[in-house]
């Protein structure tokens, strides 16, 4: 093992705030920088980018030859969707073209202002995420200004999916909750089939979550035998994640991130979710 391990900084971004943490475990992490968006969120990527430009660490990073910055972005700032590769698709160029075409169909606009990211080795339906290019440029500038290496930039959904792949149901939903952002990733036969992200008006109760799941089931009709296999897997750091064995008649389990603890209680309300998102980028 190298004597000069990289220091790992974790940045979480919402439309309202950004928080940088040093450390890689909830018990030991330290807030080294935070900022809120002005004016408060009418969710402008431009406003977030301006705030990131003013983000300064409260202490110089030390003790490592290099510093890596790992960024987790609120799903509400990203457009994630499922892409089915065309028959016979080969190579990165064809997969990127398929993702761009799917983006245009879903959102009625060109993907040019967005940076498309995915597992480009896929030979089956896969999740693609479109991040605003303006935000990606600002994150790169932040890293270079502070002499950090930009290690990764991921939406909360992708962080959660990769955190524990065995927790993603073969048939059912992976449901990710941070703050009031909820993302539902529908799977069938161990493949993603649909994605949707919602900004909730308020923290939902169990009845509201059950209604939301019933609506999702109506959106994605399945053969009768498939319904019996469906289950729910909840993850994230939202206080409203359910702790119950069934929701809407489906088997349910919750594996909340460590960041759902009271560790961020000292942060302003606008920054708390950003802190939780930052810690979602930690190594397990």
């Amino acid at each position: 093992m190298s004597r000069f391990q990289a220091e790992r900084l974790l940045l979480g971004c919402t439309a309202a705030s950004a928080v940088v943490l040093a450390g890689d475990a909830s018990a030991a992490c330290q807030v080294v920088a935070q900022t809120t968006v002005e004016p408060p969120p009418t969710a402008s990527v431009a406003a977030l980018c301006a705030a990131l430009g003013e983000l300064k660490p409260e202490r110089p990073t030390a003790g490592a030859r290099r510093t890596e910055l790992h960024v987790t972005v609120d799903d509400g700032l990203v457009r994630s969707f499922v892409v089915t590769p065309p028959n016979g698709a080969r190579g990165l160029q064809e997969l990127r073209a398929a993702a761009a075409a799917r983006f245009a169909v879903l959102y009625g606009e060109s993907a040019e202002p967005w940076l498309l990211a995915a597992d480009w080795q896929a030979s089956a339906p896969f999740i693609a995420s479109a991040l605003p290019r303006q935000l990606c440029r600002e994150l790169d500038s932040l890293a270079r200004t502070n002499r950090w290496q930009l290690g990764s930039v991921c939406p909360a959904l992708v962080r959660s999916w990769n955190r524990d792949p065995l927790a993603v149901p073969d048939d059912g939903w992976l449901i990710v909750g941070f703050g009031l952002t909820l993302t539902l990733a529908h799977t069938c036969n161990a493949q993603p089939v649909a994605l949707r992200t919602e900004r909730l008006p308020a923290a939902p109760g169990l009845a509201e979550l059950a209604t939301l799941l019933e609506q999702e089931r109506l959106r994605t009709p399945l053969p009768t035998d498939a319904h019996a296999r469906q289950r729910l897997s909840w993850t994230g750091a939202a206080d409203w994640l359910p702790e119950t064995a069934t929701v809407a008649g489906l088997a349910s389990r919750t594996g909340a991130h460590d960041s759902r603890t009271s560790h961020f209680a000292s942060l302003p309300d606008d920054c708390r979710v950003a802190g939780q998102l930052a810690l979602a980028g930690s190594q397990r």
Side-chain angles (χ1 to χ4, degrees):
M1 183 178 293
S2 170
R3 294 174 55 196
F4 302 102
Q5 289 184 312
E7 179 174 9
R8 190 178 176 95
L9 293 182
L10 309 174
L11 169 60
C13 293
T14 73
S17 63
V19 169
V20 180
L21 304 178
D24 213 30
S26 60
C29 67
Q30 176 186 358
V31 176
V32 298
Q34 58 182 283
T35 186
T36 54
V37 173
E38 295 292 346
T42 37
S44 161
V45 170
L48 173 60
C49 289
L52 286 171
E54 301 301 318
L55 194 63
K56 304 296 180 185
E58 295 174 2
R59 64 170 182 81
T61 57
R65 174 171 290 182
R66 60 191 175 90
T67 300
E68 290 183 354
L69 180 66
H70 295 269
V71 185
T72 304
V73 181
D74 183 271
D75 285 333
L77 294 169
V78 181
R79 292 178 175 179
S80 293
F81 52 99
V82 175
V83 180
T84 300
N87 291 333
R90 294 181 179 179
L92 177 61
Q93 185 172 354
E94 288 183 71
L95 291 174
R96 284 190 176 277
R102 182 62 176 159
F103 181 98
V105 169
L106 289 172
Y107 302 106
E109 61 182 82
S110 167
E112 187 58 33
W114 302 79
L115 181 65
L116 294 176
D119 174 8
W120 301 115
Q121 304 301 316
S123 58
F126 61 92
I127 293 172
S129 295
L131 295 97
R133 286 189 183 274
Q134 181 184 9
L135 177 59
C136 294
R137 286 193 296 267
E138 190 59 46
L139 291 170
D140 184 64
S141 175
L142 175 68
R144 285 188 287 103
T145 298
N146 289 279
R147 297 183 179 178
W148 302 333
Q149 292 182 6
L150 188 57
S152 64
V153 181
C154 282
L157 167 65
V158 175
R159 288 279 188 226
S160 298
W161 189 290
N162 293 338
R163 183 183 181 88
D164 186 5
L166 294 178
V168 180
D170 288 346
D171 294 276
W173 283 267
L174 175 70
I175 306 169
V176 181
F178 283 89
L180 293 177
T181 302
L182 175 148
T183 296
L184 304 106
H186 190 193
T187 60
C188 185
N189 296 323
Q191 294 181 350
V193 294
L195 270 176
R196 192 160 67 87
T197 295
E198 280 198 4
R199 179 68 179 175
L200 303 171
L206 187 58
E208 288 92 343
L209 291 174
T211 298
L212 186 149
L213 261 299
E214 293 287 3
Q215 292 170 344
E216 284 302 305
R217 295 174 79 174
L218 292 174
R219 284 191 179 94
T220 51
L222 294 171
T224 303
D225 63 331
H227 285 286
R229 301 192 302 269
Q230 289 184 323
R231 60 187 180 90
L232 310 174
S233 183
W234 306 78
T235 189
D239 292 337
W240 45 262
L241 292 175
E243 298 283 357
T244 182
T246 60
V247 179
L250 299 178
S252 175
R253 68 176 294 275
T254 300
H257 292 205
D258 293 342
S259 50
R260 200 167 65 149
T261 69
S262 59
H263 185 80
F264 299 103
S266 61
L267 286 175
D269 288 345
D270 284 345
C271 291
R272 197 167 302 160
V273 176
Q276 294 169 337
L277 285 163
L279 195 54
S282 64
Q283 295 175 326
R284 297 193 73 185

